[in-house]
Amino acid sequence: MSGQVLVFQLLNGIGIGMIYFLLSVGLTMIFGLMRFVNFAHGALYLVAAYAAYVVSQATGSMLWALLFGPLAAALLAVVAERLLLRHTYAMPHEAQILITFAVALIVQEGVILVFDPLAKNVPVPDFLSGIVFLGPFVYPAYRLAVVAVSAAVAVLLWFALERTRFGAILRAGSESTEMVSLLGIDVHRVFLGAFALGGALAGLAGALAAPLRGVEPFMGLEALGIAFVVVVVGGIGSFTGALLGGLLIGVVQSVMSSLWPEGARLMIYGAMALVLLVRPAGLMGRA
Amino acid sequence: MSAFREGGRFPDASTVGIAATLVALPFVLPSVTLASEVLVFSVAALSCAFLLGMVGLLSFGQGLFFGIGAYVSAVLLKDHGLATLPAVAIAAGASAIGAGLIALLAVRRHGVYFVMLTLAFAQMGYFAMLALNHVTGGENGLTGVPRPPLLAGMGALSGSEAIYAFLAVLAFAAYLLVQRVGASPFGSVLRAIRQNEPRAEALGYDVRRFKVAAFALAGLLAGLAGAMHTVFLGFAPPNVIELEMSERLLIMAIIGGAGAPGAAFVGAGFYVVMADWLSTLWPRWLMLIGFLLIAIVLFLRDGLWGGAAAALHRLRGRGHG
């Protein structure tokens, strides 16, 4: 593999990795806060990608799609939490997993019902459809924009978690929900906020990914598998872990796709198996 | 979630009930083919129900071992000219080994992490199938798998009735195996792990080794079901190893309830017959299965089997009172 191809694939990998980070950070955050595994997390990504498809068809503008995708996902997360999920917090993990899995199934079938099972293309926004010259390299502008947007969101999110009151409550809640509750904070509103935020982030991942990979009804399930790999590799409950895990998986997938195209996806799981073997708790995980 | 009963006896009344059901099924259902499909998925769902009911392990990955069984048997029958019975046996053995190897990694994590890993490894199986497309046929699957005699020198396995009879014997054997394990000391240790893992460990049991053994046994069952699927269809389609297959098997096990080995047969039968009936009426019938799943988890913890058993118990109680 020549140097130029390697740099190209590394950049691609960072772009994919940042999308994987956005996808997984909400899952890991919600788990850290309430020990709740959301098997419907991939459905949020799915709904946002389809919302982006509809909006970009209707308005011809990807910018609106980037706004409405996350909004649709956050809305779904909030509705699901209010109507169903909050009644399962006291149940065993198995029950939560099965119920959220059923929600994912219902959303997936709903998407096929409204649209159809076929894959659809989402156009790259006009003003980002060109290429950018980076010194001696040329690179698609949209992919560069994905890296820039997701990096900006990652910084904002870090700032929100570390420097705001809501972030402090979230972090305290993941240490001890009971203590936070005793301090007079309504934890149920915090949970709802965490679901909305996690949904919006997964939604942003779905909307950003839509022009890169198109949309199809089973992308939610695939995304769920990827998010699990990211949190297993990075260590669950950790912001840095999700970032490292996402980037590592994205780069492995991208670099392998030029070395062994048929096996690129397989190597993601190979990387996960390797991490499990040498560091079972994940890169940033607490044992 | 529900669990296999304490100190189940072997054989008991349910053994007779299952045998009778297997004989009656092709006459009750609209076609022998549908009855054969019920058998294939009963054994596969049994794999999920065994893990959940005996060891308390929720697996989103049994489709991987189902797929391994389906592909290994297809390759052996098609390219290596093996007779049916050895091909099925080797396929089930290969799945058990695969499951044991994956379990060695997966048991390093507990609880929800374990569940996530089963899903991730199931997804890995699908991509491995695509990567090895020169063996597996990739997106096309393996077509034109022959149905040779059970053993070299015997008559050919032909006709849907003969295939049903063969599958029924295998399904009954799988049922007996799970029931026997449930009544064994090994089964008691698995139940102890399900009830309280730290306690089982404190008693001196090597919990990881027991979990790996149980997972390998479940892999054997799922692999057997996959090989049965290949014999039944004469074809190994790529969907046997897709993540949707893992989900389908788990749904069957949950609908039936993990309270007894027979429940898996009820869940699989319900799902396959519903699929046959509803899919012609409304292609999106899986949405209804989603709602049913939520209802079962919220209101009928022990699945259809447990619900029926409770109703029977209440009727009997009323009779005595």
Side-chain angles (χ1 to χ4, degrees), chain B residues 96-118:
Chain B
I97 294 170
L101 290 176
I102 283 176
L104 281 177
L105 280 175
V107 297
R108 296 170 78 96
R109 305 305 308 264
H110 293 264
V112 289
Y113 303 94
F114 179 86
V115 183
M116 292 197 273
L117 284 174
T118 59

Side-chain angles (χ1 to χ4, degrees), chain A:
Chain A
M1 187 159 49
S2 72
Q4 181 141 354
V5 174
L6 184 68
V7 171
F8 189 80
Q9 294 295 9
L10 272 176
L11 268 176
N12 272 352
I14 291 170
I16 299 170
M18 288 308 288
I19 289 177
Y20 288 172
F21 159 72
L22 292 176
L23 168 66
S24 318
V25 71
L27 185 78
T28 204
M29 193 171 69
I30 288 166
F31 184 83
L33 184 65
M34 16 188 162
R35 300 280 171 261
F36 186 91
V37 191
N38 184 11
F39 272 57
H41 200 73
L44 302 169
Y45 173 88
L46 169 68
V47 164
Y50 269 85
Y53 165 72
V54 170
V55 170
S56 74
Q57 289 285 310
T59 64
S61 157
M62 192 60 204
L63 286 179
W64 285 112
L66 282 183
L67 181 68
F68 278 101
L71 268 180
L75 189 68
L76 175 64
V78 165
V79 169
E81 203 273 347
R82 279 268 146 167
L83 291 183
L84 185 62
L85 303 185
R86 66 168 41 195
H87 303 293
T88 69
Y89 289 155
M91 291 184 180
H93 278 314
E94 287 80 9
Q96 298 170 347
I97 288 172
L98 290 170
I99 285 176
T100 50
F101 161 62
V103 169
L105 193 63
I106 292 166
V107 171
Q108 174 185 305
E109 293 301 306
V111 165
I112 303 178
L113 191 66
V114 175
F115 301 90
D116 52 54
L118 303 176
K120 299 178 195 321
N121 281 322
V122 177
V124 169
D126 280 339
F127 69 101
L128 289 173
S129 61
I131 49 168
V132 177
F133 290 91
L134 298 167
F137 305 113
V138 288
Y139 198 71
Y142 181 70
R143 281 183 178 268
L144 208 60
V146 167
V147 176
V149 169
S150 47
V153 170
V155 170
L156 272 178
L157 183 63
W158 181 84
F159 186 82
L161 288 174
E162 293 293 325
R163 294 278 185 275
T164 67
R165 190 179 141 77
F166 180 67
I169 295 172
L170 275 185
R171 282 181 294 125
S174 65
E175 294 293 330
S176 166
T177 324
E178 204 180 1
M179 190 68 205
V180 170
S181 173
L182 286 172
L183 289 171
I185 288 160
D186 181 354
V187 280
H188 279 284
R189 282 183 59 189
V190 178
F191 289 175
L192 192 64
F195 263 100
L197 179 60
L201 290 165
L204 182 61
L208 283 172
L212 293 176
R213 66 180 311 286
V215 295
E216 39 94 13
F218 303 101
M219 66 192 287
L221 188 57
E222 192 188 316
L224 185 68
I226 295 279
F228 285 174
V229 172
V230 170
V231 299
V232 168
V233 167
I236 202 162
S238 157
F239 175 91
T240 328
L243 186 60
L244 276 181
L247 286 174
L248 179 74
I249 294 303
V251 168
V252 166
Q253 180 187 331
S254 176
V255 170
M256 286 310 296
S257 67
S258 59
L259 293 177
W260 184 27
E262 299 88 3
R265 293 298 184 94
L266 180 60
M267 295 321 290
I268 294 180
Y269 299 91
M272 179 189 78
L274 197 68
V275 170
L276 263 181
L277 206 57
V278 295
R279 245 189 106 80
L283 297 175
M284 303 303 288
R286 285 176 283 187

Side-chain angles (χ1 to χ4, degrees), chain B residues 102-150:
Chain B
I102 283 176
L104 281 177
L105 280 175
V107 297
R108 296 170 78 96
R109 305 305 308 264
H110 293 264
V112 289
Y113 303 94
F114 179 86
V115 183
M116 292 197 273
L117 284 174
T118 59
L119 188 140
F121 279 116
Q123 187 76 291
M124 179 180 82
Y126 176 70
F127 290 119
M129 182 277 290
L130 288 182
L132 300 173
N133 56 6
H134 54 285
V135 183
T136 61
E139 298 275 12
N140 301 318
L142 288 172
T143 49
V145 178
R147 288 199 191 91
L150 290 188

